[in-house]
């Protein structure tokens, strides 16, 4: 648990024992960042007066963004994406508890395959801006807004990563002879999975921010103004993801069209082969036992049968040509 006091001069690290004193100061506000959950954090949140549902939501993993509002604080859960192995997208959860004089940011729980540093990108980015003097927040809601904006940038970054790979995928589909369809299918559907994940996160977070913007009973107007801007950011991420999804689905349709066309051509060629060999098989089955398996070969009859087979096959080939089968 990292305790900081944010004032006009920046963010100052403080020991956790100073929390009560820091909450009573009016020249700044308290920012507590929780990289890893432990029992100390549990007791701290209860002592801070957080609602039991808020503490429970911070303790466990939340797969869907959510928001709770209470008279003295409000709570929001959101996710930022992290690409893992084999196209897996990790949802890095960040919980924000925003009060009048304090902000608590809780990370996780995390997948064991994810390093803690990956979950701290948004909060560490905001902290660097404060320390470098490029950001001077005057309220916890401003820091929460900056962190949430970082989440929106993370989601937008995943959509941008997909957008960079789509033109190359389209070229591969257009030039492919469909000899390695398994690899191509895997690439398309891994990209599709990443894009849908980013789009879903943006849409759900948009709904949460829009809900905060409408909580005029307990959320003050400055915080609701931040929420409206965040809703617009996540809505734009969703819109961009929808546009890239249309592009991707067009590539998938192109692939399906090429596959269906190839199958149609193959079936037409098989139909030509069947049409050519059918009369040969029919005539051979009827005349074979009378012409070929006699005590001696009837050359005249055999020649007539072979000629008849060739004539019928040529006629069928000509008919197939007129049909455009080959």
């Amino acid at each position: 648990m990292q305790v900081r006091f944010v004032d006009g001069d920046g963010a100052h690290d403080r020991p956790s024992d100073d929390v009560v004193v820091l909450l009573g100061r009016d020249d700044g506000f308290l920012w507590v960042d929780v990289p890893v959950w432990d029992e100390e954090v549990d007791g701290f949140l209860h002592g801070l007066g957080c609602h039991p549902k808020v503490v429970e939501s911070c303790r466990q993993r939340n797969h869907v963004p959510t928001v709770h509002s209470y008279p003295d604080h409000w709570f929001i859960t959101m996710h930022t994406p992290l690409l893992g192995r084999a196209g897996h997208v990790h949802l890095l959860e960040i919980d924000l508890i925003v009060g009048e004089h304090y902000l608590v940011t809780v990370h996780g729980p995390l997948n064991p395959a994810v390093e803690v540093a990956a979950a701290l990108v948004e909060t560490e980015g905001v902290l660097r801006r404060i320390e470098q003097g490029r950001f001077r927040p005057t309220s916890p809601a401003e820091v929460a807004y900056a962190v949430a904006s970082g989440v929106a940038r993370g989601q937008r970054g995943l959509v941008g990563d997909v957008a960079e790979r789509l033109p190359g995928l389209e070229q591969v589909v257009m030039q492919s002879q469909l000899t390695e369809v398994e690899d191509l299918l895997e690439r398309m559907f891994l990209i599709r999975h990443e894009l849908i994940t980013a789009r879903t996160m943006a849409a759900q977070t948009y709904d949460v921010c829009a809900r905060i913007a409408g909580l005029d009973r307990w959320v003050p107007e400055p915080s609701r103004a931040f929420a409206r801007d965040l809703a617009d950011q996540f809505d734009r991420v969703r819109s961009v993801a929808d546009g890239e999804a249309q592009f991707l689905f067009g590539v998938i349709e192109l692939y399906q069209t090429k596959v269906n066309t190839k199958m149609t051509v193959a079936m037409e060629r098989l139909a030509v082969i069947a049409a050519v060999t059918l009369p040969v098989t029919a005539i051979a089955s009827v005349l074979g036992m009378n012409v070929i398996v006699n005590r001696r070969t009837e050359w005249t009859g055999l020649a007539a049968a072979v000629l008849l087979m060739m004539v019928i096959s040529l006629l069928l080939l000509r008919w197939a040509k007129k049909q455009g089968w080959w």
Side-chain angles (χ1 to χ4, degrees):
M1 187 171 71
Q2 300 173 347
V3 179
R4 305 183 183 99
F5 186 76
V6 182
D7 57 17
D9 296 327
H12 313 282
D13 292 333
R14 294 298 180 88
S16 58
D17 295 338
D18 293 348
V19 168
V20 176
V21 176
L22 296 175
L23 286 173
R25 294 177 56 176
D26 57 1
D27 57 337
F29 59 91
L30 180 67
W31 179 13
V32 179
D33 190 44
V34 182
V36 180
W37 184 269
D38 55 26
E39 294 301 324
E40 180 186 6
V41 179
D42 192 294
F44 168 73
L45 293 183
H46 281 292
L48 199 60
C50 295
H51 194 278
K53 288 187 177 180
V54 171
V55 179
E56 181 181 0
S57 296
C58 291
R59 185 187 302 114
Q60 66 186 12
R61 186 174 180 82
N62 301 281
H63 296 277
V64 178
T66 185
V67 60
H68 304 290
S69 62
Y70 306 96
D72 57 345
H73 64 281
W74 51 275
F75 169 78
I76 181 174
T77 293
M78 57 183 63
H79 301 91
T80 184
L82 176 66
L83 286 179
R85 294 182 178 180
H88 178 67
V89 181
H90 297 283
L91 303 184
L92 305 185
E93 178 181 340
I94 180 168
D95 304 321
L96 305 172
I97 306 173
V98 185
E100 184 177 359
H101 299 291
Y102 65 85
L103 168 67
V104 181
T105 52
V106 182
H107 305 272
L110 297 176
N111 188 305
V114 178
E115 297 182 358
V116 176
L120 304 180
V121 171
E122 288 75 27
T123 52
E124 291 295 328
V126 174
L127 179 61
R128 282 195 301 271
R129 290 170 56 199
I130 295 176
E131 292 175 341
Q132 295 171 2
R134 296 184 291 114
F135 180 40
R136 285 288 181 258
T138 59
S139 68
E142 286 188 60
V143 177
Y145 167 78
V147 172
S149 295
V151 173
R153 287 192 296 271
Q155 296 177 2
R156 177 64 178 82
L158 178 57
V159 177
D161 181 72
V162 171
E164 290 180 0
R165 287 179 285 164
L166 279 180
L169 179 64
E170 182 187 31
Q171 290 297 321
V172 171
V173 172
M174 294 178 64
Q175 299 173 4
S176 174
Q177 299 301 318
L178 302 180
T179 57
E180 298 179 355
V181 294
E182 292 84 2
D183 293 339
L184 191 55
L185 276 173
E186 183 177 2
R187 286 184 60 185
M188 285 192 297
F189 282 94
L190 283 179
I191 292 177
R192 176 178 177 270
H193 169 67
E194 295 171 9
L195 188 58
I196 290 179
T197 301
R199 198 270 179 198
T200 301
M201 284 192 294
Q204 292 175 341
T205 313
Y206 162 78
D207 291 336
V208 167
C209 293
R211 172 59 179 160
I212 297 175
L215 294 174
D216 55 352
R217 180 180 178 184
W218 286 326
V219 179
E221 173 55 29
S223 297
R224 286 188 281 121
F226 288 140
R228 286 192 292 270
D229 185 78
L230 287 172
D232 182 68
Q233 292 186 44
F234 288 107
D235 188 47
R236 290 178 181 274
V237 174
R238 179 178 61 179
S239 177
V240 172
D242 286 338
E244 295 300 327
Q246 293 297 323
F247 187 3
L248 175 59
F249 294 153
V251 174
I252 294 176
E253 288 179 359
L254 173 61
Y255 169 81
Q256 293 176 333
T257 300
K258 291 189 67 173
V259 170
N260 293 335
T261 301
K262 188 173 183 179
M263 290 298 297
T264 301
V265 171
M267 293 302 297
E268 290 175 349
R269 291 173 179 174
L270 289 174
V272 171
I273 295 173
V276 170
T277 57
L278 181 61
V280 176
T281 304
I283 295 175
S285 63
V286 173
L287 300 180
M289 55 185 169
N290 297 318
V291 176
I292 297 176
V293 297
N294 287 338
R295 291 182 178 180
R296 60 187 179 85
T297 302
E298 297 289 343
W299 294 104
T300 304
L302 178 59
V306 172
L307 180 60
L308 180 61
M309 294 177 187
M310 293 179 61
V311 170
I312 296 177
S313 297
L314 290 173
L315 290 173
L316 287 173
L317 280 173
R318 182 183 178 186
W319 176 78
K321 181 68 175 179
K322 290 182 178 181
Q323 301 298 317
W325 289 5
W326 63 281

